[in-house]
Amino acid sequence: MSYLNGVTGYRKDLLNTRSIIKRGNYAVIEPDGLVKNTIPGFEKCQVTILSSPKLGASFVDYLVGIEPEGYHHEGFGQPGEEVFFYLFEGNVKVWNQEKEEVLKDGGYIFCPEGTKLFFENIGDKPARGFLYKRKYRRIPGHEAHTVIGNINSVPGIAYEGMEDVMVKDFLPSAKDLGFDMNFHILSFKPGAGHGYIETHVQEHGAYIYSGEGMYVLDNEWIPVKKGDYLFMGAYCPQAAYGVGRDEEFAYIYSKDCNRDMDL
């Protein structure tokens, strides 16, 4: 185990962190202090586990760095699990039992339950991605299917009519009940924000890949920025403003959907 950012040894100041952990409610995890995890099947890869059931999430999120010729040839995903992989940057071949594709920056693949994700970095530079798994909640008469695409080809839609807040959807869950989750990208121009503080049963895992923002989590306003990870549990009040000057505040996040609650 080693540190993700490679910073080791004594610091020149008191030890401190911006990370906040409220298990089952919410978490803000800054990059400093994140560690690399050794997980069987990932070869020449640097893997960091972000959310997990130990935090109170019903899913697991990972950051994955894939060295040239790095791979997962055993297949990621156990029986009953669905898997999503998003490539921030790189040149990675991905496949499952249904499809095969070479992903470039912004590429993604969703593997439904019953298939496994395989990947290999076929480029000459390290690749960097975001990985997710979750137990699939099956309902009669509906099935999910493999989806491969590139988010750069997906048009942005004004979020609830706000032209300075844009959303992109990765999966067709709004029209297809076979899907019990979706991934989205939400981006805010500086000064833009949610129209209200959301309070809902869905969980989110969100990785901020651009800009800076102010996020309210359970009535606590918290500054966040590029490289931070957020977990938002069910019914945690949440909303954000984009701040900063240089770039949009943007993050990729998951959301469960299309299912009733079990008693």
Side-chain angles (χ1 to χ4, degrees), residues 49-77:
I49 298 173
L50 297 168
S51 278
S52 77
K54 289 186 175 182
L55 185 62
S58 63
F59 54 86
V60 185
D61 279 338
Y62 311 76
L63 287 178
V64 182
I66 313 169
E67 298 297 321
E69 300 182 353
Y71 61 88
H72 198 309
H73 287 175
E74 296 180 10
F76 180 79

Side-chain angles (χ1 to χ4, degrees), residues 79-94:
E81 295 176 352
E82 54 192 347
V83 172
F84 179 88
F85 176 74
Y86 176 71
L87 187 66
F88 291 110
E89 55 189 12
N91 191 15
V92 176
K93 183 173 74 171
V94 297

Side-chain angles (χ1 to χ4, degrees), residues 179-200:
F179 292 84
D180 68 345
M181 55 78 62
N182 205 337
F183 261 83
H184 314 271
I185 281 179
L186 200 59
S187 59
F188 302 78
K189 297 286 187 183
H194 284 91
Y196 50 89
I197 294 178
E198 299 179 357
T199 308
H200 50 58

Side-chain angles (χ1 to χ4, degrees), residues 37-239:
N37 304 109
T38 299
I39 302 177
F42 290 85
E43 302 294 336
K44 299 182 69 175
C45 295
Q46 299 175 354
V47 184
T48 295
I49 298 173
L50 297 168
S51 278
S52 77
K54 289 186 175 182
L55 185 62
S58 63
F59 54 86
V60 185
D61 279 338
Y62 311 76
L63 287 178
V64 182
I66 313 169
E67 298 297 321
E69 300 182 353
Y71 61 88
H72 198 309
H73 287 175
E74 296 180 10
F76 180 79
Q78 297 299 315
E81 295 176 352
E82 54 192 347
V83 172
F84 179 88
F85 176 74
Y86 176 71
L87 187 66
F88 291 110
E89 55 189 12
N91 191 15
V92 176
K93 183 173 74 171
V94 297
W95 68 97
N96 63 7
Q97 290 88 330
E98 298 176 353
K99 292 184 179 183
E100 177 181 315
E101 189 69 70
V102 174
L103 302 184
K104 299 187 183 297
D105 300 9
Y108 62 92
I109 179 172
F110 169 81
C111 297
E113 186 273 329
T115 68
K116 289 189 173 185
L117 169 67
F118 303 83
F119 64 77
E120 181 177 351
N121 184 352
I122 60 174
D124 57 3
K125 296 180 180 179
R128 189 170 62 93
F130 188 86
L131 182 64
Y132 164 101
K133 69 177 182 182
R134 179 176 181 267
K135 286 286 189 181
Y136 179 60
R137 294 185 62 197
R138 184 177 302 279
I139 56 175
H142 298 276
E143 295 284 343
H145 56 83
T146 300
V147 178
I148 298 178
N150 190 295
I151 201 62
N152 294 318
S153 300
V154 176
I157 300 172
Y159 186 71
E160 298 185 344
M162 297 180 290
E163 295 295 336
D164 52 1
V165 183
M166 303 299 289
V167 64
K168 292 186 175 186
D169 300 332
F170 288 84
L171 302 178
S173 64
K175 300 179 180 178
D176 190 339
L177 293 180
F179 292 84
D180 68 345
M181 55 78 62
N182 205 337
F183 261 83
H184 314 271
I185 281 179
L186 200 59
S187 59
F188 302 78
K189 297 286 187 183
H194 284 91
Y196 50 89
I197 294 178
E198 299 179 357
T199 308
H200 50 58
V201 68
Q202 288 81 16
E203 298 174 82
H204 297 313
Y207 181 75
I208 301 169
Y209 67 86
S210 173
E212 300 175 352
M214 291 295 297
Y215 228 104
V216 63
L217 298 166
D218 200 11
N219 295 319
E220 297 288 337
W221 283 100
I222 302 166
V224 293
K225 64 179 183 178
K226 179 179 178 178
D228 289 350
Y229 174 81
L230 309 179
F231 164 68
M232 291 164 265
Y235 299 108
C236 175
Q238 57 197 256

